[in-house]
Amino acid sequence: MAFHLQRLGRFAFRRRGLVIALWIGVLALTGIGAATLSGPTSNSFTLPGTESQRAVDLLKDRFPAMQADGAVARIVFAAPDGQKLTDPAWRAAVADVVDDFTGGADVATVTDPYSNQLSQDATVGYAQVSYTVASADLSDEAKDTLEHAIGTGRDAGLTVEAGGDAAEEASHSGATELIGLAVAAVVLVITLGSLVAAGLPLLVAIVSVGIAMTAITAATGFMELSSNTSTLAVMLGLAVAIDYSLFIISRYRQELGRGLDREHAAGRAIGTAGSAVVFAGLTVAIALVGLAVVNIPFLTEMGIAASVAVLLAVAVALTLVPAMLGVAGRRVRPRAEAAAQHRPTDTTRSRRWASWVTRHPAAVLVGTAIGLGVVAIPALDLRLALPDEGTSAPDTSARKAYDLLSADFGAGFNGPLTITIDTRPGGGDSAGGAAAGGAAAAPAADPAATAAAVANSIAGLDDVAKVTPATVNPAGDTAVFSVIPNSGPAAEETSDLVRAIRDLPQPAGAEVAVTGSTALAVDITDSLSDALVPYLIVVVGLAIILLCLVFRSILVPLTAVGGFLLTVVATLGATVAVFQWGWLDGLIGIEGQTGPIMSLLPLLVVGLVFGLAMDYQVFLVTGMREQYVHGAHPTSAVINGFDHGARVVIAAAIIMISVFAGFILTPEALIKQMGLALAFGVAVDAFLVRMTIIPAVMALLGRSAWWLPRRLDRVLPNVDVEGASLDGAPQLPGPREGTDAPADSTRERDVLVTAAPSAPSRRPEP
């Protein structure tokens, strides 16, 4: 592989004008496609195969007027102190607010607060507005009507707050992304010591992400995609494009420092660092595509789109970077003092650290593992749920509406359960299956009686505050009613209630199902929890196979995965301590927002951190393997390889940490959780696992680290990620192995042989 990538790099360097024009052309084509072919995105959320989704589909079929998948806004009214909403003046003010919604754009129904929706003391009430479309599809007119109605009530002197998905405010993350890019620019300038060299990774990242974004946008004209599909693609595509470009440019500068001319340095950088980039990108892509295991459509879309963005970043880095290096000329050359920074006799900070770790490997390994184990202890108390408005910032309207309802009605009013009674299960649509439904079983003729019996059974369960009367559809085959829990939507008691209702015996001739946003959240949490172990097995298993190809070793991939598992449990422990236990909540601005951990978080931590961790593993350990196959002693190979890669890994990790940490500044608790978990996970994995534990383990293993059974050694293809095949004639222009080199290539061969003695492509036997 290294030989072919080297030829690609040299071709891109020589034909830089063509390569740059081709990528600009691709960007232009996808941009035109995005402008002319794009279609609407969807924010509909489905969970195929779950009870809550089947019940939603049933309601859409049997109760179309209910708009089961439409947006909802809860408008909460509170009278001034000492007064009641039943006073004539306040009744008129509430009526004005309700009238604003009646007949409004996208509005399906509006409930009257005075129809059994007032608190016992009549100081608080609420109206529920149901819309015909999902929240992401609400028109600007509908949003303006909502804002105007709230303003009408407040102008009259009422306290009016709005909750529900229709009232959600758009998340603004532009500032956090700019912070991440600013930090990345500073780190690149410090690392590369040149504004031109630092600008190249950013330029490559912009091209890569630009193509990915416009391609995803154009794809919406041919398939229905979630509005969130591009989110992960942008975040990861930007990060890995910068990282991969940085790694290649750093290797290019090293080769220039060894005396190679620019073209050969570019070719060798792509042949060696580019090989690591290919396998690092494949590992990240595997982790992302593996999200399909969860069987949640929007997650599958996000994973596939992000994996395409990562693979695109690999392709751009392997071709556009050498082309841009050709354009930049000598302006990316290392300074005189930097040119010699990787000589084995130099005493750099990274070399001193690696030397110290390899002198005390057992103590370092045990001490670091124990420290991470202590950090992981809070993970034993991990509780997963989807966030609700009770974890919103205290000064938001949604949180105020939630608190008003909780105080005067009970926390369960913020997340009622919807119970469906289908007395014609499997009967098809309402119009065509009535006759079949009537003959299915005796109770099918009286869904109201069946619903009453089920309601009585549910009323006897724990944590039930109220059961509303049932409504029967016009076809007379389906009933629906609501159950109000005592506990809030994200409470463990509410989840237990959902499961208890589902465990009740099914009535004869009918099918009972639980749905609603709360039940849907329970199903999502259960689905994600059940999928975590299979996801780990698939992703880790494929990654081990890939890493065996890269390192031609059994133990190195296993240690890489073991270190990653330490990272995951430590990250979850820190996240639980902050967001569930409330440690340091004031420092990151989440006072009053503690609660369960977002159920999606463990899966995201596993997928994203695993991909990035394997990036750092490949970047560091390929340098160690390169030194080893070139004849270095195992410990010296660890130190020299670490010294060559540490500076780049540190820079890449700081960039990633800064990008993720910027999301901690957002007001949403959910985004804060993601930002902290990913920033902490990258920091732990880069600095404590890859740069501390892995060198210690490699020193302890010695030659055994590179052991590979002979049979497996013969079967596995030699991908030559360390670039051993580049040390002889194949590295030079024109000739292949066994042919004569042109006369002007002699100096280049001598330089290469001096810089890195020839070694066989197979690893020495331990």
Side-chain angles (χ1 to χ4, degrees):
M1 174 187 285
F3 174 66
H4 297 292
L5 287 177
Q6 175 219 29
R7 294 187 61 174
L8 174 65
R10 293 186 59 189
F11 172 82
F13 185 93
R14 290 195 304 267
R15 305 298 299 272
R16 45 189 172 271
L18 173 64
V19 171
I20 293 171
L22 285 175
W23 281 117
I24 293 176
V26 172
L27 180 59
L29 286 175
T30 56
I32 294 171
T36 59
L37 302 176
S38 63
T41 57
S42 171
N43 212 35
S44 60
F45 191 88
T46 59
L47 271 178
T50 61
E51 178 176 314
S52 56
Q53 185 61 52
R54 291 195 300 270
V56 168
D57 295 339
L58 179 72
L59 290 174
K60 290 167 65 177
D61 177 33
R62 310 281 179 86
F63 288 90
M66 291 183 65
Q67 303 296 332
D69 56 351
V72 171
R74 286 186 302 276
I75 313 301
V76 183
F77 305 91
D81 292 340
Q83 301 184 49
K84 299 183 178 182
L85 291 177
T86 52
D87 295 345
W90 303 129
R91 183 184 285 270
V94 170
D96 289 341
V97 174
V98 173
D99 288 343
D100 276 355
F101 290 105
T102 304
D106 299 333
V107 174
T109 60
V110 186
T111 61
D112 184 357
Y114 296 96
S115 300
N116 200 29
Q117 291 176 189
L118 292 180
S119 60
Q120 290 185 349
D121 59 4
T123 59
V124 175
Y126 69 96
Q128 181 155 307
V129 183
S130 299
Y131 291 89
T132 59
V133 296
S135 58
D137 301 322
L138 284 173
S139 63
D140 291 337
E141 184 181 353
K143 296 175 183 177
D144 292 341
T145 299
L146 178 59
E147 293 179 6
H148 181 269
I150 294 172
T152 298
R154 290 174 176 173
D155 291 342
L158 289 168
T159 296
V160 184
E161 306 295 347
D165 56 351
E168 288 179 354
E169 297 180 0
S171 176
H172 302 287
S173 59
T176 63
E177 293 166 359
L178 290 176
I179 291 173
L181 283 175
V183 173
V186 172
V187 172
L188 289 171
V189 170
I190 294 173
T191 303
L192 298 175
S194 163
L195 289 175
V196 174
L200 291 183
L202 295 176
L203 181 61
V204 170
I206 291 171
V207 172
S208 173
V209 172
I211 294 174
M213 279 293 299
T214 50
I216 292 171
T217 303
T220 59
F222 303 94
M223 62 188 73
E224 183 176 297
L225 295 178
S226 166
S227 57
N228 296 316
T229 298
S230 61
T231 303
L232 194 59
V234 171
M235 180 174 65
L236 270 185
L238 189 66
V240 298
I242 293 175
D243 284 0
Y244 297 163
S245 302
L246 172 62
F247 193 59
I248 292 172
I249 292 170
S250 296
R251 185 58 185 254
Y252 171 75
R253 286 156 59 92
Q254 290 177 26
E255 299 301 336
L256 288 178
R258 290 172 176 171
L260 292 184
D261 65 27
R262 293 192 299 120
E263 180 183 330
H264 288 91
R268 189 170 176 83
I270 297 298
T272 53
S275 298
V277 164
V278 168
F279 282 97
L282 287 175
T283 307
V284 178
I286 287 172
L288 292 168
V289 173
L291 289 172
V293 172
V294 185
N295 196 30
I296 296 180
F298 92 92
L299 266 183
T300 302
E301 292 172 6
M302 289 177 66
I304 293 175
S307 66
V308 170
V310 169
L311 295 177
L312 183 62
V314 172
V316 173
L318 294 178
T319 53
L320 187 58
V321 168
M324 295 302 297
L325 289 174
V327 172
R330 299 179 179 274
R331 286 169 289 183
V332 295
R333 279 185 176 274
R335 297 188 300 267
E337 65 273 17
Q341 65 180 337
H342 289 292
R343 291 174 184 165
T345 56
D346 288 347
T347 307
T348 62
R349 291 186 181 91
S350 58
R351 175 173 291 276
R352 289 197 297 269
W353 173 254
S355 299
W356 182 83
V357 169
T358 54
R359 283 198 304 270
H360 312 90
V364 169
L365 174 60
V366 173
T368 307
I370 290 175
L372 292 177
V374 171
V375 176
I377 289 175
L380 297 173
D381 189 38
L382 176 66
R383 187 161 61 89
L384 299 176
L386 285 188
D388 59 26
E389 291 170 346
T391 59
S392 300
D395 59 346
T396 60
S397 184
R399 175 62 179 274
K400 292 175 181 177
Y402 182 97
D403 291 342
L404 283 171
L405 285 179
S406 297
D408 289 87
F409 291 87
F413 270 79
N414 289 289
L417 307 177
T418 300
I419 313 298
T420 63
I421 312 291
D422 182 9
T423 58
R424 189 169 50 83
D429 61 69
S430 297
D446 193 0
T450 305
V454 173
N456 286 335
S457 299
I458 293 175
L461 298 175
D462 294 336
D463 203 50
V464 174
K466 180 181 179 181
V467 179
T468 65
T471 300
V472 179
N473 69 332
D477 54 21
T478 309
V480 61
F481 61 91
S482 296
V483 174
I484 310 297
N486 283 315
S487 306
E492 195 169 356
E493 294 82 359
T494 303
S495 299
D496 292 339
L497 175 59
V498 171
R499 298 184 182 101
I501 295 174
R502 289 173 173 171
D503 288 339
L504 290 173
Q506 292 282 348
E511 184 178 287
V512 180
V514 187
T515 189
S517 59
T518 302
L520 188 64
V522 172
D523 285 340
I524 293 172
T525 299
D526 290 345
S527 297
L528 293 172
S529 300
D530 294 341
L532 185 58
V533 173
Y535 178 63
L536 264 174
I537 292 173
V538 170
V539 170
V540 171
L542 291 175
I544 287 177
I545 295 173
L546 197 61
L547 292 176
C548 283
L549 287 174
V550 175
F551 299 121
R552 305 197 66 78
S553 164
I554 294 294
L555 296 180
V556 171
L558 293 178
T559 57
V561 171
F564 163 72
L565 295 177
L566 278 176
T567 297
V568 168
V569 294
T571 300
L572 294 178
T575 306
V576 168
V578 173
F579 289 97
Q580 194 172 307
W581 291 1
W583 293 7
L584 304 177
D585 57 350
L587 184 64
I588 62 174
I590 59 166
E591 298 95 335
Q593 294 178 258
T594 56
I597 302 303
M598 179 181 64
S599 53
L600 189 63
L601 193 68
L603 210 68
L604 287 177
V605 168
V606 168
L608 300 185
V609 176
F610 180 81
L612 297 172
M614 295 306 104
D615 274 4
Y616 304 145
Q617 176 80 11
V618 170
F619 291 162
L620 279 175
V621 183
T622 48
M624 299 176 189
R625 174 168 172 77
E626 183 177 351
Q627 293 289 320
Y628 180 70
V629 299
H630 288 167
H633 183 274
T635 302
S636 298
V638 171
I639 296 172
N640 293 338
F642 183 93
D643 187 34
H644 284 173
R647 183 179 177 88
V648 179
V649 170
I650 290 172
I654 291 175
I655 290 171
M656 294 300 299
I657 293 167
S658 302
V659 170
F660 291 140
F663 289 98
I664 300 175
L665 304 176
T666 61
E668 296 89 351
L670 178 146
I671 304 300
K672 285 178 180 287
Q673 285 186 18
M674 289 182 59
L676 177 71
L678 294 177
F680 186 86
V682 170
V684 165
D685 199 89
F687 296 109
L688 296 181
V689 175
R690 306 302 148 191
M691 303 184 71
T692 304
I693 289 180
I694 294 301
V697 171
M698 297 291 288
L700 287 172
L701 292 175
R703 294 183 183 275
S704 299
W706 307 110
W707 172 77
L708 188 69
R710 290 185 182 275
R711 289 186 179 180
L712 192 58
D713 191 20
R714 288 193 293 268
V715 171
L716 290 179
N718 185 13
V719 297
D720 188 25
V721 72
E722 67 277 358
S725 64
L726 305 184
D727 293 336
Q731 189 272 337
L732 300 174
R736 295 182 180 275
E737 200 167 33
T739 65
D740 294 326
D744 62 355
S745 66
T746 304
R747 185 184 65 82
E748 296 295 326
R749 183 189 297 111
D750 292 339
V751 170
L752 285 174
V753 171
T754 303
S758 274
S761 60
R762 298 284 179 178
R763 50 108 187 102
E765 293 295 332

